Amino acid sequence: MTVRIERPLSPHLQTYRWTLTMALSIVHRITGVALYFGTLLLAWWLIAAASGPAAYGNVQAFTSSFIGRLIVFGYTWALLHHLLSGLRHFCWDLGYGFKATEREALTWGALIGGIALTVLLWIAAYAVGGGR
């Protein structure tokens, strides 16, 4: 007969109450993966620009479509959110921002800042580019 030893269970996600900090930590990882694929799109654009007008026209046709603009908008948000979230992690690496109020402020700053900067960047790009 085998005797079962009672051991404490390891905490699992169901044990914890979800917080915005936890959610944005996961979003930070997801945006990192999204940046990988978005950078492939950027590389396609640069290679096409170096290849000539026909190749560049194909990329421009894609990025000018609704789906293309949606992807580029998402890439812009992922880039800016990942940047701000990375700065949040950098603050933590320096030993700052661990109090509950500071942690929440940094988290909300990364979330709202990423969205706001994305919208402002696109507004500026449309203003400078004339809506092209």
Side-chain angles (χ1 to χ4, degrees):
M1 180 168 126
T2 305
V3 177
R4 181 175 165 95
I5 300 171
E6 292 296 323
R7 295 186 180 129
L9 296 176
S10 176
H12 192 265
L13 290 177
Q14 296 156 339
T15 305
Y16 296 109
R17 180 183 58 86
W18 276 91
T19 64
L20 184 62
T21 305
M22 289 170 64
L24 283 190
S25 180
I26 294 168
V27 170
H28 181 73
R29 289 175 176 90
I30 292 168
T31 57
V33 172
L35 290 177
Y36 173 80
F37 292 104
T39 302
L40 292 175
L41 180 64
L42 178 63
W44 180 37
W45 179 70
L46 290 171
I47 291 167
S51 297
Y56 186 73
N58 290 334
V59 175
Q60 286 300 98
F62 173 73
T63 56
S64 297
S65 70
F66 176 76
I67 295 293
R69 287 187 188 208
L70 192 61
I71 289 171
V72 174
F73 185 84
Y75 178 72
T76 307
W77 172 78
L79 182 64
L80 293 171
H81 176 79
H82 199 79
L83 169 73
L84 294 178
S85 192
L87 290 173
R88 175 176 60 114
H89 282 274
F90 183 63
C91 288
W92 290 342
D93 288 343
L94 293 175
Y96 301 107
F98 285 114
K99 293 179 185 169
T101 55
E102 296 169 343
R103 191 176 60 245
E104 288 294 312
L106 286 171
T107 303
W108 279 107
L111 178 63
I112 294 169
I115 294 167
L117 287 174
T118 300
V119 170
L120 288 173
L121 182 64
W122 274 68
I123 289 171
Y126 268 87
V128 169
R132 286 183 267 141

